[in-house]
Amino acid sequence: MGVGEAVKKIDTALDDTFAAVSPPLKWRKGPAGMSQHRNLLNEENGEVTVSRDCYVRTKVSKSKIAALAEDVEKHWKAKGYELESRNRKMPSFRYSTPEGVSVVFDVGGDLVTISASISDTKSPGRSGDIDKGDFPHGLKDIAPDVRDPYWSK
Amino acid sequence: MDMTVQQLADLNVSALESAKEEWARISSSLEGYGDRVDIHMRRTVGNWTGDAAVKAHSRMERLRNNFQFGAQECALVRAAIDAFIEEIQGSQRKMQDVLDVAKRTGFLVTPMGELVDPAGAEPPGGEDPEAARKRDERREELQRFIFAVLGQAVETDAKYGQILSQLMAERGLKVDGLESQRDANIISKVAAPGLRLDSVPEKGTDPANVRDWWKGMSEEERQEQLALHPDLIGNLDGIPARTRDKANRVNLDRLIDMYPEPVPDDVEERHEGFKKIRNRLIMDAEEEPEPLLLGIGPEGQGRAILSYGDPDTADNVAAYVPGLNTQLGDVGGDDGDRARDVWKSAQKADGGGHKTASIVWLGYDAPQAFSDSDAGTDASVAEEERGRRGGRDFGRFLDGIQATHQGERPHVTAIGHSYGSFTLGQAAQREGGIPADDIILVGSPGTGAQRAEDLGVSPDHVWAGAADSDAVTHAPSDAEKIFGIWGHMTDPHELHFGQDPASEDFGGRRFAVNPGWNPSSHSDYFDRNSESLRNMGKIVSGRPGEVTTEERR
């Protein structure tokens, strides 16, 4: 699979996840990027992981975090995604889609992120960002900044 | 050229001070133009290829280099004027002192510095001849001193006239970093002693002493040090990060210009590495996180230290030591990405609430192995000396991070990957340990320590990431290599460089990583969206309670 196709796949998984959340959240796409896979000699093996983080702009109150996590998890299960791992200390979990996309729901401070990645992608011979997402000048101001009558209450 | 006493006394230094400031302003403007060429011209067409693109890139590079050169030359002119002021004012002060003495003694001074004794015209007999002789001797002595001061002033004038004329560029400016280096050497030789700028601390000096030395200078003196000695200032632990970055961008240009294309085979790899790093600085300029070049040099296989974010103002600082087969170009490539991805992961873990700086530190010669069978067992990998030397320098680098940090002490996490974890382990085992709060060892063949507590931080803050599929985390000990299974049975967790950091016996904590597949699992710890990178972000941002763990071996 080429990088372009991988980006489409992870974006589909992310868009689909956000579309399933009600009431809808405000969110921004972070840059799509690549990490090279290397062998024991630190040589590129011709594959990259393609990934993207999405940063939720809506302020989700502590009392609503669990509800949001539940909505997302319910949707992923309904889509036939499989649970890969779960953080028992906080609402954070990883699922994999039948297409091999790894999707993660995570919380850091007040920030909710949903990320997706796909690992067996043909390397274009470099690593780093593929696009800038909704951050033309880098990852400035990722903290949530939009209040919502339901999620922020 | 002759100079009169009056000319020296009347020399208007304030006009020179104004000129000096104007040169400084021009230097700063030209530097800004150079940056604008990089950011707004070169970067926007970074992916443009073809014949026309090659020519355009070459012209833009030349334009940028000319601005950069102009900025450096103007800074040198400023330093030269300042040194001239310093020296000529010294002559003025001396002249004033001797003229005061002459006046008090009753001598008159001619424009050319001769002293005339009005009393000498008096007919003899009215005075004691011995007193008259002594008075004449005194006149001659003062006159000699006046001549010497005038001579010194003339010499100063000629000396600076000559070095300033050497800074003249020819029409159709086409220069490189080496020309500004040559000019800096010329100015430095003449101006540095006058400005007392010839006493830069040696590399290896305690960073706290370097910091005090730097703070002890005026802003003007610091700017002059930067113009005259970027090679020393840029790589000195204890100098503020932004100053190092400014110096090292000049150093990087000079290192690239050292070898015109095509470069000799024996330096090609380093040369390409320097170019990759410069390209990264251009591509990531004015973005968040900002790249700062904290170190660059031609020593050994080449040196480079790149930070994403400013460690002097960050609340959380991560410093990552890469391992086996890392080369200079990797700092411009994948290892630079790893540092940036650790930054992102820490920001994400923290919700963007605190400032982070994430550094890749290639301040040592990482061992180079050339075949799969070499990895983990080759003599060059086994060579501990590289790690020991690297550990010593890495420790001092971390001391420098603390020395220059503004405000409260930052939370520091040292990360070592592969052989880099051995290098980090060597640093941590020095007397007094390293000023780090957390230590992360990923894909580690051992640190040289048997217990986590030997690394100088609480074992609760020593973290190992080790995929079971990662062969390096099972690198056999000498006993196992010689005695096979019997050697293994003696201590199943003894690795090539000591106890397995992921083992129960070691006593640290093991965080969860993606299981992965051999052999890529050895590098997948930094994979975007991986469990490992996520956990490293939580550790770096000071959220150990949120780290997912794995059972120790």
Side-chain angles (χ1 to χ4, degrees):
Chain A
M1 184 189 327
V3 167
E5 193 185 341
V7 171
K8 269 187 199 158
K9 279 191 175 178
I10 59 172
D11 281 349
T12 301
L14 290 166
D15 292 343
D16 175 70
T17 301
F18 280 105
V21 176
S22 180
L25 296 166
K26 295 274 185 201
W27 53 285
R28 279 181 292 201
K29 277 184 179 174
M34 299 174 284
S35 307
Q36 285 178 335
H37 293 203
R38 292 173 172 252
N39 63 19
L40 294 180
L41 291 171
N42 201 32
E43 295 165 336
E44 300 165 36
N45 75 355
E47 287 189 348
V48 291
T49 292
V50 172
S51 72
R52 190 191 299 282
D53 295 324
C54 288
Y55 301 87
V56 174
R57 289 184 67 176
T58 306
K59 293 181 181 181
V60 182
S61 66
K62 287 207 167 25
S63 60
K64 294 279 171 55
I65 287 275
L68 176 59
E70 202 176 303
D71 278 4
V72 170
E73 193 164 12
K74 201 183 285 179
H75 175 68
W76 285 353
K77 279 181 181 168
K79 298 276 290 184
Y81 297 1
E82 281 189 17
L83 179 68
E84 294 283 325
S85 62
R86 180 186 299 283
N87 188 338
R88 304 211 173 274
K89 301 164 189 168
M90 56 193 299
S92 170
F93 42 83
R94 176 186 298 271
Y95 276 73
S96 63
T97 77
E99 284 195 300
V101 178
S102 181
V103 283
V104 176
F105 178 93
D106 201 9
V107 180
D110 296 330
L111 175 70
V112 176
T113 53
I114 299 178
S115 313
S117 59
I118 191 158
S119 62
D120 51 353
T121 307
K122 193 175 170 207
S123 172
R126 65 176 186 91
S127 55
D129 287 349
I130 301 162
D131 63 38
K132 291 179 181 291
D134 297 324
F135 292 86
H137 304 296
L139 284 177
K140 275 181 186 155
D141 307 324
I142 57 170
D145 59 350
V146 178
R147 286 198 67 80
D148 177 88
Y150 174 76
W151 291 113
S152 309
K153 206 169 170 187
Chain B
M1 193 187 82
D2 288 339
M3 186 184 286
T4 67
V5 171
Q6 202 56 44
Q7 278 175 325
L8 178 58
D10 290 348
L11 184 69
N12 186 357
V13 173
S14 67
L16 286 171
E17 292 278 3
S18 303
K20 187 181 77 178
E21 295 315 317
E22 194 54 39
W23 283 104
R25 272 192 289 275
I26 297 171
S27 172
S28 172
S29 299
L30 291 175
E31 192 174 272
Y33 295 145
D35 290 345
R36 288 183 73 81
V37 171
D38 273 349
I39 296 160
H40 300 292
M41 294 170 71
R42 293 176 79 187
R43 189 169 66 178
T44 51
V45 292
N47 295 324
W48 183 24
T49 54
D51 290 347
V54 169
K55 284 183 182 155
H57 284 306
S58 159
R59 286 306 301 259
M60 283 189 284
E61 187 172 355
R62 180 176 157 188
L63 179 62
R64 180 254 184 210
N65 286 349
N66 286 351
F67 279 132
Q68 186 74 21
F69 173 79
Q72 287 157 20
E73 294 291 295
C74 289
L76 292 176
V77 172
R78 175 190 189 274
I81 293 174
D82 195 30
F84 174 76
I85 292 172
E86 192 75 20
E87 284 192 36
I88 210 74
Q89 276 188 320
S91 297
Q92 279 183 316
R93 277 193 298 272
K94 282 183 194 164
M95 184 60 82
Q96 196 51 56
D97 288 349
V98 70
L99 290 180
D100 285 349
V101 173
K103 194 178 172 185
R104 279 200 303 273
T105 318
F107 297 137
L108 297 175
V109 60
T110 70
M112 297 316 292
E114 289 161 336
L115 285 186
V116 178
D117 187 358
E122 296 284 324
E127 266 189 25
D128 173 6
E130 181 58 21
R133 189 184 59 77
K134 280 190 176 169
R135 184 176 168 81
D136 199 48
E137 276 177 10
R138 177 66 171 148
R139 183 190 62 78
E140 280 182 3
E141 183 191 7
L142 291 173
Q143 186 173 276
R144 273 197 303 276
F145 196 76
I146 289 172
F147 287 159
V149 174
L150 270 179
Q152 193 182 44
V154 168
E155 198 179 295
T156 300
D157 189 40
K159 184 171 68 177
Y160 283 92
Q162 193 197 0
I163 62 166
L164 284 170
S165 70
Q166 287 183 52
L167 299 186
M168 301 250 288
E170 289 173 14
R171 287 177 68 85
L173 187 62
K174 188 178 179 184
V175 290
D176 59 30
L178 294 183
E179 195 159 329
S180 74
Q181 187 171 16
R182 277 192 296 272
D183 291 344
N185 290 341
I186 292 168
I187 300 289
S188 181
K189 208 177 285 176
V190 174
L195 295 172
R196 293 175 296 283
L197 295 177
D198 51 351
S199 57
V200 180
E202 277 180 24
K203 205 171 176 187
T205 304
D206 181 343
N209 294 339
V210 173
R211 174 201 57 204
D212 294 344
W213 166 78
W214 186 253
K215 276 188 171 175
M217 286 188 289
S218 67
E219 180 55 30
E220 191 177 350
E221 287 169 328
R222 289 196 281 260
Q223 289 306 320
E224 283 162 353
Q225 281 287 13
L226 200 55
L228 296 178
H229 305 125
D231 50 332
L232 304 176
I233 300 298
N235 291 295
L236 203 51
D237 296 318
I239 297 289
R242 287 187 183 281
T243 306
R244 289 177 76 155
D245 174 63
K246 200 170 175 188
N248 285 326
R249 286 173 191 253
V250 173
N251 296 333
L252 181 59
D253 284 344
R254 290 178 181 174
L255 287 165
I256 291 170
D257 291 337
M258 196 178 284
Y259 295 101
E261 314 265 356
V263 299
D265 288 350
D266 57 332
V267 292
E268 191 179 1
E269 202 156 271
R270 260 191 330 188
H271 184 75
E272 289 304 313
F274 289 133
K275 279 167 61 178
K276 270 182 94 169
I277 291 168
R278 184 162 75 180
N279 194 44
R280 176 177 276 278
L281 293 174
I282 294 169
M283 297 306 281
D284 292 346
E286 289 199 343
E287 294 220 340
E288 184 76 7
E290 60 177 337
L292 297 175
L293 191 59
L294 303 184
I296 197 80
E299 302 90 340
Q301 294 162 196
R303 303 279 186 265
I305 308 168
L306 178 69
S307 179
Y308 278 98
D310 182 351
D312 290 348
T313 55
D315 305 297
N316 298 306
V317 177
Y320 151 60
V321 185
L324 177 68
N325 279 1
T326 304
Q327 294 173 348
L328 202 54
D330 292 319
V331 175
D334 205 36
D335 283 308
D337 286 337
R338 287 177 180 183
R340 199 172 54 157
D341 289 342
V342 168
W343 182 93
K344 283 183 187 172
S345 183
Q347 287 294 104
K348 213 164 63 169
D350 182 55
H354 292 88
K355 286 186 185 168
T356 304
S358 178
I359 300 162
V360 51
W361 183 89
L362 186 61
Y364 81 122
D365 285 338
Q368 306 293 303
F370 303 103
S371 72
D372 263 327
S373 59
D374 285 347
T377 57
D378 179 72
S380 64
V381 184
E383 190 191 322
E384 297 184 5
E385 191 50 30
R386 288 170 185 248
R388 288 211 184 94
R389 262 188 263 151
R392 184 195 59 203
D393 292 346
F394 182 60
R396 197 171 45 244
F397 173 75
L398 293 180
D399 290 338
I401 293 291
Q402 296 289 355
T404 57
H405 194 269
Q406 300 162 19
E408 281 182 29
R409 188 182 184 279
H411 171 255
V412 175
T413 305
I415 305 172
H417 174 237
S418 188
Y419 185 93
S421 68
F422 174 70
T423 304
L424 163 55
Q426 295 303 294
Q429 288 173 84
R430 70 177 188 175
E431 202 178 327
I434 50 173
D437 303 278
D438 284 277
I439 287 176
I440 298 177
L441 310 159
V442 281
S444 176
T447 59
Q450 292 303 109
R451 306 271 306 159
E453 63 202 33
D454 297 338
L455 298 182
V457 301
S458 156
D460 269 4
H461 290 271
V462 177
W463 303 85
D468 284 333
S469 61
D470 177 359
V472 175
T473 70
H474 304 284
S477 64
D478 286 347
E480 190 173 344
K481 274 188 278 182
I482 297 166
F483 302 110
I485 186 68
W486 300 109
H488 176 76
M489 294 298 284
T490 313
D491 184 349
H493 298 303
E494 185 69 12
L495 299 181
H496 194 76
F497 291 123
Q499 193 67 209
D500 177 3
S503 72
E504 200 148 333
D505 289 347
F506 192 71
R509 297 168 81 177
R510 185 183 183 193
F511 61 84
V513 302
N514 290 11
W517 294 274
N518 184 42
S520 66
S521 56
H522 182 57
S523 66
D524 286 351
Y525 301 105
F526 293 92
D527 214 16
R528 290 181 178 209
N529 201 29
S530 67
E531 193 67 14
S532 170
L533 183 63
R534 200 168 292 273
N535 278 328
M536 285 198 266
K538 290 180 191 301
I539 296 165
V540 169
S541 62
R543 294 174 167 265
E546 297 176 2
V547 174
T548 56
T549 54
E550 214 167 299
E551 203 177 320
R552 292 179 295 190
R553 290 172 175 163

CSV table of all heavy atoms in Angstrom, one decimal, chain A residues 17 61 101-102:
chain,number,residue,atom,x,y,z
A,17,THR,N,-15.3,7.9,13.0
A,17,THR,CA,-15.4,7.9,14.4
A,17,THR,C,-16.1,9.1,14.9
A,17,THR,O,-17.0,9.1,15.7
A,17,THR,CB,-14.0,7.7,15.1
A,17,THR,OG1,-13.5,6.5,14.6
A,17,THR,CG2,-14.1,7.7,16.6
A,61,SER,N,-15.9,17.9,29.8
A,61,SER,CA,-15.8,17.9,31.3
A,61,SER,C,-15.4,16.5,31.8
A,61,SER,O,-15.6,15.5,31.1
A,61,SER,CB,-17.1,18.4,31.9
A,61,SER,OG,-18.1,17.5,31.7
A,101,VAL,N,-6.1,-1.0,10.4
A,101,VAL,CA,-5.8,0.4,10.9
A,101,VAL,C,-5.9,0.3,12.5
A,101,VAL,O,-6.8,-0.3,13.0
A,101,VAL,CB,-6.8,1.4,10.4
A,101,VAL,CG1,-6.6,2.8,11.1
A,101,VAL,CG2,-6.8,1.5,8.9
A,102,SER,N,-4.9,0.9,13.1
A,102,SER,CA,-4.9,0.9,14.6
A,102,SER,C,-5.5,2.2,15.0
A,102,SER,O,-5.0,3.3,14.6
A,102,SER,CB,-3.5,0.7,15.1
A,102,SER,OG,-3.4,0.7,16.5
